[in-house]
């Protein structure tokens, strides 16, 4: 999962500081690297600054504020394809025969390996190991076409997930794959138009949310205004990621017209109805991702809610750290239970999901050390049993706790007195979009075209 942000100002004002701020708001979507690309004033050449780590470490805000550019894109990365290194940091940039191009990508192109093999066999030399670079090479293979046509043609060959912010010369282009896996929104403030992975990034620059990009839509923004085009791919159905609502997106974002906060609260409420925990004296949430669902659970079950586990805010999310060792250390140092709330009590602990099972096991152990009498785990989504091929780091079934074990064996492994999950039907109805528009593949195994797909049609 990554975050993209783009800005174009019609009156020529510089937008680099806005892009920096937008990335700041999207930091939860990627913490490995950050980058910003902009065009020279005549649009002939693309420039970029990239760095490893969090936005404020990777990028120099003062330096960016001093650069004049009326269109720019930015990216925060967490790797799903290609290693975590500066060569793979986005935006991916190139100056080719038809002009300059910079691409910031959220998602995972499932047939990128096949495309890359094909292009390399024809002499292409790749600079990075990212799936995104295939787009630039596909464009370069259409160098007789104007850049926008070459981009449309490149996208026509892709399968899987891509929400893109692209600079083509002085134009800002945004594109959402025909299945709509990852969110992408359009916003505006006076003469400046923005595109962003989530609406929370529009709030920080004082822009209003205009609308979501439609799956399969490409938007071209330049001095003449905004044009909407279609990517010429017929999708059999939409696949908007259910996990964005469950975990990834910020609760203050609105995706495809649905408030993430409201969805999370409803998930908790439905969980309270389907898997009540009447013996619990306190309902608490696994911070931060389970907190809102826990509030919904407590509200619907009319039980007492307490913030019984406190999170150190200055530690990143464990789930999106790249190695198991860092994940394990992260859990140990980031959460702390409050003994006076827990000692001698029956607790219902609500979390958004169990992926590897590391966090829940350690938290239960910590809670027991603080004297909890019984610990009941309630999960506000279905068991994650299948890997995601669309831009989330759940690579193999062996790493997924619910794929390795049935629910009772998992309960025993994590040390809970009871463990219950939300059903898929409840998840879909809490999101509130038509079920046929939602991807639930990591819960159900129902992938687009059977899952990982290296099919190439060049
Ligand atoms: S497989 Fe899961 S995480 Fe991946 S896009 Fe589908 S719902 Fe989202």
């Amino acid at each position: 999962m990554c975050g993209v942000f783009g800005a174009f100002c019609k009156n020529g004002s510089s937008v680099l500081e806005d892009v920096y701020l937008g990335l700041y708001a999207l930091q939860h979507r990627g913490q490995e690297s950050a980058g910003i690309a902009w065009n020279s004033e005549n649009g002939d050449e693309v420039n970029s600054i990239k760095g490893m780590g969090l936005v404020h470490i990777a990028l120099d805000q003062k330096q960016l504020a001093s650069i004049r550019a009326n269109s720019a894109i930015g990216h925060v990365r967490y790797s799903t394809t290609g290693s975590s290194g500066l060569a793979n940091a986005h935006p991916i940039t190139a100056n080719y025969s038809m002009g300059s191009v910079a691409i910031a990508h959220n998602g995972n192109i499932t047939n990128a390996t096949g495309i890359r093999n094909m292009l390399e066999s024809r002499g292409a030399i790749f600079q990075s190991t990212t799936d995104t670079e295939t787009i630039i090479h596909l464009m370069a293979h259409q160098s007789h076409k104007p850049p926008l046509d070459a981009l449309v043609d490149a996208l026509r060959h892709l399968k899987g997930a891509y929400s893109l912010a692209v600079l083509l010369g002085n134009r800002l282009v945004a594109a959402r794959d025909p299945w709509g896996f990852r969110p992408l929104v359009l916003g505006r403030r006076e003469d400046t138009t923005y595109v962003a992975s989530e609406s929370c990034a529009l709030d920080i620059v004082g822009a209003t949310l205009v609308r979501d990009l439609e799956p399969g839509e490409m938007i071209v923004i330049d001095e003449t205004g905004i044009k909407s085009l279609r990517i010429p791919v017929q999708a059999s159905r939409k696949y908007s990621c259910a996990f964005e609502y469950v975990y990834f997106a910020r609760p203050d974002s609105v995706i495809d017209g649905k408030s993430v906060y409201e969805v999370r609260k409803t998930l908790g409420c439905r969980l309270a109805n389907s898997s009540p925990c009447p013996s619990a004296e306190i309902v608490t949430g696994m911070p931060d991702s389970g907190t809102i669902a826990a509030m919904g659970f407590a509200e619907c079950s009319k039980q007492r809610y307490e913030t019984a586990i406190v999170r150190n805010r200055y530690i990143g999310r464990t789930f999106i750290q790249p190695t198991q060792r860092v994940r394990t250390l992260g859990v140990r140092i980031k959460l702390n239970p409050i003994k006076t709330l827990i000692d001698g009590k029956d607790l219902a602990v609500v979390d958004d999901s169990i992926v590897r099972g590391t966090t829940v096991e350690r938290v239960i152990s910590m809670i027991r050390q603080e004297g909890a009498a019984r610990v009941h785990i309630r999960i506000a989504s279905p068991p994650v049993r299948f890997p995601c091929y669309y831009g989330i780091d759940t690579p193999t079934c062996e790493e997924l706790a619910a794929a390795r074990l049935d629910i009772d064996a998992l309960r025993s492994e994590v040390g809970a007195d009871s463990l219950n999950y939300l059903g898929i039907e409840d998840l879909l109805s809490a999101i509130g979009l038509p079920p046929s528009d939602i991807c639930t593949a990591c819960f159900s195994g129902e992938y687009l075209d059977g899952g990982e797909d290296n099919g190439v049609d060049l």
Side-chain angles (χ1 to χ4, degrees):
M1 191 184 61
C2 302
V4 304
F5 191 88
F8 179 93
C9 183
K10 227 165 44 168
N11 70 20
S13 298
S14 190
V15 296
L16 289 190
E17 198 171 39
D18 277 6
V19 175
Y20 178 91
L21 291 169
L23 294 184
Y24 220 88
L26 297 172
Q27 186 74 86
H28 61 292
R29 297 187 71 88
Q31 302 162 345
E32 288 178 29
S33 63
I36 293 182
W38 67 95
N39 271 302
S40 57
E41 277 185 41
N42 59 10
D44 285 352
E45 206 177 49
V46 65
N47 304 297
S48 67
I49 296 177
K50 304 181 215 180
M52 298 305 293
L54 300 173
V55 171
H56 71 279
I57 295 165
L59 304 172
D60 183 336
Q61 185 185 2
K62 264 200 198 138
Q63 181 192 3
L64 289 165
S66 69
I67 297 169
R68 290 205 57 77
N70 75 327
S71 59
I73 59 170
H75 188 266
V76 285
R77 179 166 195 256
Y78 118 98
S79 52
T80 51
T81 302
S83 57
S84 171
L86 202 53
N88 284 342
H90 289 213
I92 304 283
T93 59
N95 293 301
Y96 79 120
S97 59
M98 295 300 285
S100 64
V101 55
I103 303 183
H105 170 204
N106 175 207
N108 197 35
I109 299 165
T110 54
N111 63 343
T113 306
I115 294 174
R116 186 187 179 108
N117 291 343
M118 175 76 76
L119 292 169
E120 282 179 335
S121 74
R122 295 178 187 176
I125 297 170
F126 280 72
Q127 305 286 321
S128 72
T129 52
T130 67
D131 52 344
T132 314
E133 199 184 338
T134 56
I135 302 174
I136 287 183
H137 283 275
L138 285 171
M139 287 178 68
H141 270 69
Q142 300 290 324
S143 58
H144 56 288
K145 293 183 178 170
L148 188 60
D149 293 350
L151 177 62
V152 172
D153 194 74
L155 300 187
R156 197 166 60 79
H157 297 292
L158 305 184
K159 292 181 183 164
Y162 56 88
S163 281
L164 305 175
V166 182
L167 280 182
L168 288 181
N170 274 335
R171 283 174 293 188
L172 171 64
V173 179
R176 192 177 181 194
D177 65 68
W179 305 275
F181 281 102
R182 303 274 148 238
L184 193 60
V185 295
L186 179 69
R188 184 173 297 135
R189 191 200 66 215
E190 295 161 3
D191 281 346
T192 309
T193 305
Y194 300 90
V195 295
S197 288
E198 290 183 39
S199 62
C200 66
L202 300 177
D203 299 337
I204 199 170
V205 294
T208 49
L209 171 64
V210 175
R211 63 178 176 86
D212 294 80
L213 265 75
E214 285 288 314
E217 184 177 16
M218 176 186 275
I219 281 184
V220 183
I221 304 152
D222 62 17
E223 260 117 37
T224 64
I226 301 176
K227 242 187 307 195
S228 171
L229 311 171
R230 299 297 306 174
I231 301 164
V233 172
Q234 198 59 46
S236 55
R237 48 158 288 198
K238 295 178 189 170
Y239 276 84
S240 175
C241 173
F243 228 95
E244 293 279 353
Y245 296 98
V246 168
Y247 174 78
F248 280 121
R250 263 175 48 166
D252 49 340
S253 286
V254 176
I255 301 175
D256 288 328
K258 302 291 175 187
S259 151
V260 174
Y261 179 89
E262 291 301 332
V263 170
R264 283 191 192 154
K265 228 169 155 202
T266 309
L267 291 170
C269 182
R270 287 179 192 270
L271 185 61
N273 292 334
S274 62
S275 300
C277 190
S279 68
E281 296 160 88
I282 284 176
V283 175
T284 193
M286 200 76 86
D288 289 326
S289 51
T291 306
I292 298 166
M295 287 162 60
F297 189 104
E299 198 174 295
C300 279
S301 62
K302 303 198 172 12
Q303 287 169 293
R304 176 179 158 202
Y305 172 84
E306 292 284 356
T307 305
I309 306 164
V310 176
R311 177 172 179 264
N312 177 347
R313 286 178 209 174
Y314 302 98
I315 309 289
R317 293 172 157 202
T318 54
F319 181 39
I320 63 172
Q321 297 293 342
T323 67
Q324 184 63 32
R325 181 163 175 266
V326 173
R327 277 183 207 112
T328 309
L329 281 172
V331 172
R332 195 185 301 157
I333 58 179
K334 80 169 187 173
L335 298 173
N336 196 25
I338 300 177
K339 188 176 178 64
T340 48
L341 287 172
I342 286 171
D343 202 4
K345 299 230 172 51
D346 262 27
L347 298 184
V349 180
V350 179
D351 202 358
D352 63 290
S353 58
I354 295 178
V355 179
R356 295 171 179 85
T358 325
T359 306
V360 70
E361 184 179 348
R362 286 173 177 272
V363 168
I364 293 170
S365 159
M366 280 195 297
I367 290 171
R368 290 207 189 278
Q369 281 166 21
E370 301 305 329
R374 292 169 69 79
V375 183
H376 304 277
I377 300 295
R378 295 292 180 270
I379 303 297
S381 65
V384 178
R385 294 201 168 102
F386 302 91
C388 173
Y389 300 120
Y390 311 119
I392 304 297
D393 182 22
T394 53
T396 62
C397 285
E398 293 78 61
E399 286 185 284
L400 297 173
R404 285 189 293 112
L405 302 166
D406 66 28
I407 291 180
D408 195 51
L410 180 55
R411 179 202 61 72
S412 168
E413 181 171 285
V414 301
D417 291 289
S418 70
L419 168 65
N420 289 103
Y421 283 89
L422 193 71
I424 283 196
E425 298 299 316
D426 276 330
L427 168 70
L428 291 169
S429 75
I431 293 172
L433 294 169
S436 61
D437 288 1
I438 307 288
C439 177
T440 58
C442 52
F443 308 117
S444 64
E446 289 168 19
Y447 294 104
L448 165 68
D449 295 339
E452 218 171 4
D453 182 349
N454 283 322
V456 185
D457 166 29
L458 287 178

